[in-house]
Amino acid sequence: MDEFPGGVRMYSSVIGPGSPLAPPMRVTPDGDGVVGHCTLGIAHEGPPGYMRGGMSAMLLDELMGWACYAAGSPAMTVFLQMRYRRPVPLETPLRTHARVTGTQDRKIFVAGSINTEDDPSVALVATDGVFVTPDPDRARALFPNTP
């Protein structure tokens, strides 16, 4: 469940159990980052039998944010580069992975992928992103109800 600082967000479009669009993805720590597990259904369809590409971006964007948070630097997306290598099948257990690959000042560089649980060695979708940790004053202005 999405436990963003300040409390659970039941209606997160990716992780929230109260969202009609969420798979929902279950996120757990993994040695060098975080892993998400989910199975997408017909509500996520693009081409017949496969996931819409924008859903890939949404899943990875969420998970990459979790990777930043797990590394001790909550941050916001400023850039995602998606590489769609193979179609992502519906009704198939998926494994997503994200990890921080570097930092520069407030920038955090993150990599992620979507794979099937059956073949986690083959990336169906891969991404690189840049996230930015807001300065403390800006963070309080953006998220006034968080600690």
Side-chain angles (χ1 to χ4, degrees), residues 24 48 71 81 89-90 100 108 126 129 133 142:
Q81 177 179 316
L90 297 176
V100 171
I108 303 167
T133 301
L142 289 169

Side-chain angles (χ1 to χ4, degrees), residues 13-49:
S13 58
V14 179
I15 297 177
S19 170
L21 292 178
M25 184 166 57
R26 183 177 34 87
V27 178
T28 56
D30 181 56
D32 68 340
V34 292
V35 172
H37 300 275
C38 65
T39 301
L40 297 153
I42 195 74
H44 310 108
E45 187 174 52

Side-chain angles (χ1 to χ4, degrees), residues 71-83:
S73 300
M76 300 172 71
T77 313
V78 295
F79 174 80
L80 286 178
Q81 177 179 316
M82 305 296 296
R83 291 178 303 285

Side-chain angles (χ1 to χ4, degrees), residues 18 40 63 87 91 95 124 145:
L40 297 153
L63 196 67
E91 304 299 337
R95 178 187 188 277
L124 305 175
N145 298 321

